[in-house]
């Protein structure tokens, strides 16, 4: 059962997305992007070798140091805000993750590959801008339907875009075809970081990347506050257990080159505090996490510990 906050501009669009940011065309409601979902969690840090396409070599001691640094960061922020936190970064050395793996609904972050797939079919630039900059659900629905009209199978078209970025998702109900609730697609942090790292490799992504650097002010928290970031966020509440999630992913542009990044925070007190309070607490968590993560990456690149992604997948 879909739980929608505020006026519903398009019930069909909201149910397909698995979330809702409502309002008139060109105006998204400044509130939680909510729907039913079940959260999950895991601890520790891992690395996926070769996630940066070039697979630059890193000695085991340095790799362990990076893993430990990321783990300490997510633990520190998590303790401060009484929440689960997760990060993933993709560099030339691979994809490193720590904390919550980001399994569960992609929420509005899935709008990025959808918008790219639609752009390839010459979709309206205005719809693309609304979908990415304002996270407008009606615009995203129209883009999804545009891909259906042009390609016949929007899931396959989006999967193709994801593969070009070295990533993949697990759709909630792929047998439903275009009717699948695409906001519920399972897109873990490590897959999002890889996709973010390779955005520049993807045909038709230029406008979407630009829009990811022009996020509307009320959605400009966490990574979106960073001047060198091109990101998209997504957020939602589980009505089954009260877990509240905010997540972001994209690319960070440094002097040395680009790094893919994905972050998430999950709160377990959504029912107790109320959805609005959980929304703002999650936002504060990412606001604390993001500048520390960006500073760590800047220092690691400057010292030569990490290298920017320097090639495309395949």
């Amino acid at each position: 059962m879909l739980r929608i906050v505020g006026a519903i501009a398009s019930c069909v669009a909201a149910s397909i997305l698995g979330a809702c940011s409502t309002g008139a065309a060109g105006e998204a409601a400044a509130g939680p992007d909510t729907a039913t979902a079940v959260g999950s969690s895991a601890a520790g840090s891992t690395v996926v070798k070769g996630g940066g396409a070039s697979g630059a070599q890193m000695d085991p001691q340095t790799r362990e140091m990076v893993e430990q640094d990321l783990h300490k960061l997510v633990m520190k922020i998590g303790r401060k805000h009484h929440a689960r936190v997760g990060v993933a970064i993709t560099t030339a050395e691979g994809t490193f993750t720590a904390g919550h793996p980001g399994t569960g609904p992609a929420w509005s972050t899935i709008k990025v590959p959808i918008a790219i797939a639609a752009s390839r079919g010459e979709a309206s630039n205005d719809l693309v801008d609304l979908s990415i900059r304002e996270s407008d659900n009606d615009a995203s629905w129209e883009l999804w339907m545009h891909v259906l009209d042009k390609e016949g199978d929007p899931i396959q078209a989006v999967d193709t875009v994801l593969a070009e970025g070295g990533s993949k998702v697990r759709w909630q109900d792929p047998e439903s075809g275009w009717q699948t609730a695409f906001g519920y697609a399972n897109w873990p942090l490590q897959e999002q970081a890889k996709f973010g790292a390779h955005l520049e490799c993807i045909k038709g992504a230029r406008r979407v990347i630009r829009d990811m650097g022009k996020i509307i002010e009320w959605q400009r928290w966490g990574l979106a506050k960073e001047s060198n970031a091109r990101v998209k966020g997504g957020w939602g509440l589980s009505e089954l257990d009260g877990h509240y999630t905010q997540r972001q992913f994209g690319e960070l542009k440094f002097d040395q080159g680009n790094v893919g990044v994905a972050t998430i925070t999950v709160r377990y007190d959504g029912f107790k505090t109320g959805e609005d309070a959980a929304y703002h607490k999650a936002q504060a968590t990412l606001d604390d996490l993001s500048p520390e993560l960006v500073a760590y990456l800047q220092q690691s690149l400057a010292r030569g510990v990490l290298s920017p992604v320097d090639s495309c997948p395949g």
Side-chain angles (χ1 to χ4, degrees):
M1 176 181 296
L2 195 65
R3 182 171 184 264
I4 304 212
V5 176
I8 302 178
S10 169
C11 291
V12 175
S15 63
I16 293 295
L17 174 64
C20 187
S21 62
T22 60
E27 179 181 355
D33 184 8
T34 54
T36 303
V38 179
S40 60
S41 61
S45 58
T46 59
V47 61
V48 181
K49 296 183 179 179
S54 63
Q57 296 299 310
M58 174 182 277
D59 65 82
Q61 292 80 11
T62 303
R63 188 174 299 278
E64 183 179 0
M65 179 190 71
V66 173
E67 294 171 15
Q68 290 178 349
D69 288 344
L70 293 176
H71 179 69
K72 289 176 183 177
L73 175 59
V74 299
M75 292 298 292
K76 182 180 78 169
I77 300 297
R79 283 194 297 266
K80 177 180 177 179
H81 291 275
H82 306 287
R84 287 297 307 281
V85 175
V87 302
I89 60 170
T90 293
T91 67
E93 292 76 20
T95 298
F96 301 81
T97 70
H100 195 291
T103 50
W107 303 116
S108 289
T109 59
I110 197 66
K111 292 174 180 177
V112 172
I114 291 173
I116 295 173
S119 294
R120 292 177 172 183
E122 301 181 345
S124 162
N125 287 335
D126 289 342
L127 290 177
V128 172
D129 293 348
L130 282 171
S131 178
I132 302 302
R133 296 185 192 182
E134 302 187 24
S135 203
D136 186 274
N137 284 349
D138 290 332
S140 300
W141 164 249
E142 290 193 48
L143 293 177
W144 181 256
M145 296 305 291
H146 181 84
V147 178
L148 172 66
D149 180 62
K150 292 291 185 178
E151 302 292 336
D153 184 350
I155 288 180
Q156 182 176 352
V158 173
D159 279 345
T160 297
V161 170
L162 290 164
E164 290 181 20
S167 185
K168 60 185 177 181
V169 304
R170 180 166 55 84
W171 300 96
Q172 183 198 44
D173 186 15
E175 290 76 19
S176 296
W178 67 269
Q179 297 182 73
T180 189
F182 52 75
Y184 290 111
N186 190 320
W187 200 7
L189 294 188
Q190 70 176 38
E191 294 296 329
Q192 290 196 310
K194 286 188 285 186
F195 190 72
H198 300 120
L199 278 169
E200 308 285 349
C201 300
I202 302 171
K203 176 185 175 183
R206 181 176 300 177
R207 188 178 191 91
V208 174
I209 295 171
R210 188 192 70 180
D211 284 343
M212 292 169 73
K214 296 182 177 182
I215 299 300
I216 194 170
E217 185 175 357
W218 69 265
Q219 295 178 29
R220 205 173 298 153
W221 61 73
L223 291 169
K225 285 185 172 182
E226 303 296 328
S227 61
N228 64 332
R230 306 293 181 268
V231 298
K232 178 74 186 77
W235 54 100
L237 172 73
S238 166
E239 290 185 336
L240 299 181
D241 54 23
H243 294 181
Y244 189 85
T245 300
Q246 282 192 18
R247 60 192 306 158
Q248 295 178 308
F249 93 98
E251 66 177 15
L252 293 171
K253 294 179 174 292
F254 297 97
D255 290 342
Q256 297 87 348
N258 293 353
V259 172
V261 62
T263 61
I264 193 170
T265 181
V266 179
R267 301 194 59 84
Y268 301 129
D269 57 358
F271 288 158
K272 181 179 180 180
T273 66
E275 190 171 345
D276 188 60
Y279 170 83
H280 290 291
K281 288 180 178 180
Q283 180 176 324
T285 304
L286 294 185
D287 279 346
D288 274 357
L289 170 67
S290 298
E292 292 204 36
L293 177 60
V294 172
Y296 173 75
L297 291 172
Q298 179 68 77
Q299 294 168 7
S300 297
L301 289 167
R303 292 163 46 209
V305 175
L306 295 173
S307 306
V309 173
D310 57 5
S311 60
C312 296

